[in-house]
Structure formats: C-alpha cells, structure tokens
C-alpha cells in the first residue's frame, strides 16, 4: 500500500487540472482495502474518501480535502476453458481483470487471444474498475453487454461481495455504483463473459463499411484496429491535449422534442436532410449531443485556455495545458445554455464533477 500526503493530482486526471488532495492511497489487494477502512475509524486517513480510476472521466473543480484512493490491482486471467458452451450454444470464455488494469490494455489482451466482446470499446481511456462503474460505451456496445459480475469490497460490511450484472443495474452511463450504492462498493475486479466464436457488432454508423474497406478479415484484432483508427481520427490524445473525452451525455428526449430539432434542421439544410438519431423505445429518441453542440457553433471554438475540439464538438479541451476548473465550468455552462435556447434540450454532463 502506497500513501502520499498533499499529493499533486495533475497527472491523475486526464483534463490536467492542477489540483491536489490531502492524502493519496494506492492499494493492490482487497486486504489493503479492509485495512484502510478499519484504520479510517482511527482517523488515519483524511475524509471524505474518493476512489478514482485513470481520472479520464473526472473534472476536479478544486483541491480535494480528503483521501483519494486508486487501485493498483493489475492482473488478467482466464477462468473458464474456451471450448465451454454457454446456454445459447456459443463458446464462452470467462476472463477476470483487476480494477487497476488499463482498459485498452484489456481490450488489446482480448484481441490478442482471439476473444470477442470488448473490441468496439477499444481506445476508451481509463481503467477496468472505473469502466464497470461508468458503463462505458461506444459504437453500439456497452460494457454491461460483456460483464458477468463485479467483485467489490463492501465498506459497510467490511467484506467482499460479487454483484451480478443485474445487481449492477446498468443504464446509459449509469450503474448502482453511481446512484443508490454510491460510495459503498469499491471495485476490486471484473469478470467478463467473452466469446471465442465470431460475434462482431458492426451495425453502428459506418463501422461495418470501415471494417470491410480495411480488408483485414474479420477478427477481434481487425475490428479493434478499425475502431482505434476511427477514434484517433476524431478524439484528442489526452496525453497530448487535456480532456475528459465525451463531456456530455447524448440526450434521450420525447419524440415531440426530436420533432422540433428535425424541423429546425430541415429548415436550415433542406427537406431531404435527416438529423442523426437513434430510436430509444417507448416514444423516446436519442440525439447525438455532438450534433446539437455543433449546430450552436461551438466546434473548434477557443477562449483563453479552454476550447471545443475541432474534430469532435462533444469534447471540451484544456487547450493550453493551463486551464483552471473555473474556465472549464464556464465553457460547459455556455454550451448548455446555447443548446437549451436553440432546441429546448438540456444537456447533462457525462464527466463527474468533484
């Protein structure tokens, strides 16, 4: 267990916010967590407590007065034989990964082992534990689609507990870890249910066309390569330009709200124009937040130390590396108000504000 006081967190958040915490603890086992919470009753660690992954979906709004915890539990292991059949008759493989494993390293490992499941999620920054909390998603796949169970330390009981995918109550960028049980469970590892037989998910956007044009055949590695190329063409590398990835959630709105957006678009671009959207069921429609933001003129916008990425308006950037939390929040607010004024839709941040 590694403990540091007055820790500079600039390198622990991909936005590059220059903030610190009173105490920083890195643990590498469930026993460490048990010791930590047992000792916390004797006030060894400043409170409140906050757990982070790779810091890729966070906006620290100020110095954190308590203790920040980070997992150094890094392992990947196969739990079941590749030839074992699931109830659906597909060859299933159960793989467990520690919460501190870099998410894209896990995707790479699966591709190298010919396992289908996470390839569409390749390139998403962060770590396995945080990915399970956030229910990350991209190109038609969410992590809930491949999770079997999440193994956690329960800070209430002081013991380990496994939550099934049903127990996790996954929703769009949501889970029990972010809602009713927020702060109760600390992810130690995640068990994934993958497939050794071809199960590509290519329906989203132009993914199928891109895979076919790449000409590399159909394998997890081939799909992963295409996904990485698509992502890299649209999103900044946080190691080069600070950001938290997609800053806003794609709004899910009633059909009547979508009709307002559609009427606006046809009036601006012509009657043949079709707004990008996805049927969310029950009379609701999901509209890409990036499209709404671009219509308001934010794409490529810069102001002081902050801006909106020129290739993807869903991404707010630390343009100079010197941005403050106040500057990020001010730009966030301006974007929300502009979309609200033009379309009557209120964007919600995907990035957690701390």
């Amino acid at each position: 267990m590694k403990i540091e006081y007055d820790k500079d967190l600039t390198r622990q958040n991909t936005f590059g916010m220059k903030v610190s915490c009173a105490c920083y603890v890195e643990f590498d086992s469930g026993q460490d967590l048990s010791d930590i919470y047992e000792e916390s009753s004797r006030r060894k660690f400043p409170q409140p407590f906050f757990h982070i992954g790779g810091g890729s979906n966070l906006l620290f709004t100020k110095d954190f007065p308590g203790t920040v915890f980070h997992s150094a539990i890094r392992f990947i292991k196969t739990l079941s034989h590749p030839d074992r059949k699931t109830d659906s008759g597909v060859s299933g493989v159960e793989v467990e990964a520690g919460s501190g494993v870099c998410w894209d390293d896990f995707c790479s490992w699966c591709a190298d082992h010919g396992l289908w499941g996470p390839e569409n999620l390749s390139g998403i920054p962060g770590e396995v534990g945080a990915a399970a909390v956030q229910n990350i998603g991209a190109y038609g796949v969410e992590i809930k689609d491949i999770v079997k169970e999440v193994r956690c330390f329960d800070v209430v009981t002081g013991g380990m507990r496994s939550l099934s995918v049903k127990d996790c109550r996954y929703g769009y960028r949501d889970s029990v870890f972010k809602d009713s049980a927020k702060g109760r469970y600390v992810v130690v590892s995640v068990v994934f249910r993958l497939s050794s037989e071809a199960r590509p998910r290519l329906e989203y956007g132009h993914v199928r066309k891109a895979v076919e044009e790449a000409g590399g055949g159909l394998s997890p590695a081939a799909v992963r390569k295409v996904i990485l190329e698509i992502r890299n063409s649209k999103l900044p590398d946080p190691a080069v330009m600070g950001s938290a990835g997609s800053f806003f959630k794609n709004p899910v709105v009633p059909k009547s709200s979508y009709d307002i957006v559609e009427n606006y678009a046809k009036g601006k671009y012509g009657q043949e124009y079709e707004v990008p959207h996805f049927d969310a069921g029950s009379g609701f429609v999901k509209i890409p937040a990036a499209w709404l933001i671009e219509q308001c003129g934010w794409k490529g916008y810069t102001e002081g130390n902050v801006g909106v990425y020129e290739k993807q308006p869903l991404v707010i950037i630390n343009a100079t590396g010197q941005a403050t939390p106040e500057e990020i929040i001010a730009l966030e607010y301006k974007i929300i108000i502009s979309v609200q004024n033009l379309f009557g839709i209120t964007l919600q941040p995907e990035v957690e504000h701390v």
Side-chain angles (χ1 to χ4, degrees):
M1 187 162 51
K2 178 181 176 183
I3 303 174
E4 298 179 64
Y5 292 95
D6 298 319
K7 169 76 170 178
D8 180 356
L9 295 175
T10 305
R11 293 180 179 275
Q12 274 68 44
N13 72 100
T14 58
F15 240 136
M17 295 294 99
K18 301 181 187 302
V19 295
S20 63
C21 62
C23 183
Y24 180 82
V25 177
E26 196 165 73
F27 57 91
D28 60 12
S29 69
Q31 184 59 52
D32 277 354
L33 286 168
S34 179
D35 293 343
I36 287 167
Y37 279 87
E38 192 174 313
E39 291 179 16
S40 68
S41 63
R42 297 194 290 272
R43 300 179 181 273
K44 179 176 180 180
F45 301 108
Q47 297 199 26
F49 291 172
F50 185 67
H51 289 262
I52 65 171
S56 59
N57 197 53
L58 294 175
L59 173 61
F60 280 104
T61 61
K62 58 184 178 181
D63 291 339
F64 190 73
T67 302
V68 171
F69 295 97
H70 177 250
S71 171
I73 303 175
R74 301 184 181 101
F75 69 87
I76 303 174
K77 63 181 180 181
T78 302
L79 302 182
S80 66
H81 194 277
D83 291 335
R84 177 177 147 192
K85 297 288 185 178
T86 65
D87 294 340
S88 61
V90 176
S91 293
V93 184
E94 291 180 6
V95 175
E96 183 179 10
S99 55
V101 172
C102 170
W103 172 254
D104 193 56
D105 287 349
F106 174 72
C107 295
S108 177
W109 184 93
C110 292
D112 289 345
H113 287 75
L115 297 177
W116 293 88
E119 61 279 351
N120 286 35
L121 305 176
S122 294
I124 296 178
E127 297 172 355
V128 165
V133 169
Q134 178 72 5
N135 188 24
I136 59 170
Y139 304 105
V141 176
E142 292 180 316
I143 200 172
K144 69 174 179 61
D145 300 329
I146 57 174
V147 167
K148 179 189 177 186
E149 62 185 58
V150 179
R151 296 176 176 174
C152 311
F153 175 78
D154 186 336
V155 304
V156 174
T157 66
M160 295 295 297
R161 178 178 175 185
S162 291
L163 276 67
S164 68
V165 66
K166 182 178 180 181
D167 293 333
C168 292
R169 297 208 291 274
Y170 282 124
Y172 175 55
R173 304 298 178 270
D174 198 15
S175 70
V176 69
F177 307 105
K178 297 179 69 177
D179 293 323
S180 60
K182 186 173 183 177
R184 176 168 180 173
Y185 299 115
V186 183
V187 179
V188 172
S189 66
V190 181
V191 178
F192 298 92
R193 184 181 286 115
L194 310 176
S195 174
S196 57
E197 294 183 2
R199 301 182 68 184
R201 298 281 296 275
L202 308 178
E203 299 80 15
Y204 189 95
H206 65 286
V207 172
R208 182 179 297 279
K209 181 179 179 182
V211 170
E212 292 172 351
E213 290 178 348
L218 194 60
S219 68
V223 174
R224 168 177 160 77
K225 183 174 184 292
V226 169
I227 293 295
L228 288 173
E229 290 172 351
I230 294 173
R231 287 187 64 86
N232 292 337
S233 70
K234 295 181 177 181
L235 299 171
D237 181 350
V240 177
M241 181 179 294
S243 81
S246 298
F247 197 95
F248 298 100
K249 296 179 182 179
N250 292 324
V252 178
V253 301
K255 179 65 165 55
S256 57
S257 295
Y258 170 75
D259 290 341
I260 294 173
V261 175
E262 185 179 48
N263 289 335
Y264 162 86
K266 290 187 180 301
K268 183 176 181 178
Y269 300 112
Q271 292 301 307
E272 299 301 317
Y273 184 86
E274 184 174 350
V275 176
H277 66 282
F278 308 91
D279 182 6
S282 303
F284 286 83
V285 178
K286 181 187 290 186
I287 306 174
W291 185 90
L292 298 172
I293 294 168
E294 185 171 358
Q295 300 310 303
C296 295
W298 291 108
K299 188 175 182 180
Y301 174 87
T302 58
E303 177 181 331
N305 295 309
V306 298
V308 177
Y309 192 50
E310 61 184 1
K311 296 180 180 179
Q312 172 52 271
L314 197 55
V315 179
I316 294 178
I317 56 173
N318 181 352
T320 65
Q322 302 300 315
T324 64
E326 291 78 13
E327 289 177 292
I328 300 292
I329 292 170
L331 180 55
E332 171 193 4
Y333 180 75
K334 289 178 182 179
I335 292 172
I336 290 173
I337 292 301
S338 67
V339 172
Q340 193 173 56
N341 287 342
L342 185 58
F343 297 113
I345 295 173
T346 302
L347 296 180
Q348 298 295 328
E350 179 176 326
V351 172
E352 183 175 4
H353 295 48
V354 182

